[in-house]
Amino acid sequence: MAAGRAPACRLRLRGAGPQQEADGRLVTHADLRHLSKSPWNEIVVDGRGNIYVNGGGPAPGPGQHFGPGAIVLVAPDGSVQQVAENLAFANGMAVTPDNKTLIVAESHANRLTAFDIAADGGLSNRRVWANLGNGFPDGICLDAEGAAWYADVPNRHCVRVREGGAMLESVDVDRGCFACMLGGSEGKTLFIVAAEWRGFEHMISDARTGQVLSVDATAPGAGWP
């Protein structure tokens, strides 16, 4: 989500979208309300069925739109625990193909941050995966060459970066980029969700400016989502 999307909620994770049973019913899988009254935002499910949800955290300070965010782990059995805190507007998340690293976009810190994932799903060894200068990462995805794509709302582009921050490619568009994902028949099409951005004060609007764009990518997608 970055400098741009209204916080998504409910996982019927109750406070984050619903689990759907085989018969189509939606049931509560986990309840996050005891952890925070602030909105929850992004979600990723790793290859072992662990669910990571970010957002929440303390209430915003005066004049702020969002307070420091957290990451919550929802295990396959529905148990919940907070596994990271003090994230500067946590946005897109991705997990590497080996299920050993979680990468999260910290939009207001202009960086991608990585954590090691333990066997029990816990997070440790927090570190900067890539400093992005004046970049504001929103949605992210990973490719098979170990690079990450991030969508950027205010800069109106998607950028492919390596760990360490080296910029490899950039796709410029005429409106804010909120999310990106690699897909298509060979996994080498970058899909971009883009829309005009007018600031937090004007997120609700009758204007319909959203588009789904696509462009050929260098490497296929990898990891989760």
Side-chain angles (χ1 to χ4, degrees), residues 8-20 26-30 32 40 43 51 53:
C9 269
R10 293 201 115 87
L11 215 164
R12 207 122 138 208
L13 280 173
R14 224 70 174 215
Q19 171 179 303
Q20 187 168 32
L26 297 178
V27 300
T28 297
H29 180 60
L32 308 185
W40 298 95
I43 178 174
I51 302 169
V53 185

Side-chain angles (χ1 to χ4, degrees), residues 39-82:
W40 298 95
N41 190 10
E42 299 281 354
I43 178 174
V44 66
V45 182
D46 73 10
R48 297 174 296 184
N50 290 316
I51 302 169
Y52 295 93
V53 185
N54 68 33
Q64 296 180 333
H65 295 285
F66 298 95
I71 299 177
V72 170
L73 165 65
V74 181
D77 64 3
S79 60
V80 177
Q81 63 173 311
Q82 182 172 308

Side-chain angles (χ1 to χ4, degrees), residues 90-113:
N91 255 308
M93 293 188 291
V95 175
T96 54
D98 59 7
N99 288 304
K100 292 184 177 180
T101 305
L102 180 144
I103 300 171
V104 57
E106 289 193 83
S107 299
H108 289 177
N110 311 100
R111 67 189 175 210
L112 301 180
T113 297

Side-chain angles (χ1 to χ4, degrees), residues 157-204:
H157 61 195
C158 285
V159 179
R160 183 174 180 243
V161 294
R162 287 209 181 279
E163 184 173 5
M167 189 179 84
L168 305 176
E169 301 174 57
S170 179
V171 178
D172 297 314
V173 304
D174 65 352
R175 62 201 66 202
C177 296
F178 289 83
C180 57
M181 189 64 204
L182 288 160
S185 59
E186 298 181 358
K188 295 178 68 174
T189 301
L190 182 71
F191 294 95
I192 302 167
V193 176
E196 292 181 8
W197 172 242
R198 301 179 180 85
F200 287 109
E201 296 80 4
H202 305 287
M203 284 196 296
I204 307 302

Side-chain angles (χ1 to χ4, degrees), residues 116-143:
D116 291 342
I117 302 176
D120 63 0
L123 302 181
S124 65
N125 189 27
R126 179 174 179 165
R127 59 198 181 277
V128 176
W129 194 86
N131 277 313
L132 305 177
N134 67 346
F136 294 87
D138 195 324
I140 67 172
C141 63
L142 304 177
D143 70 26

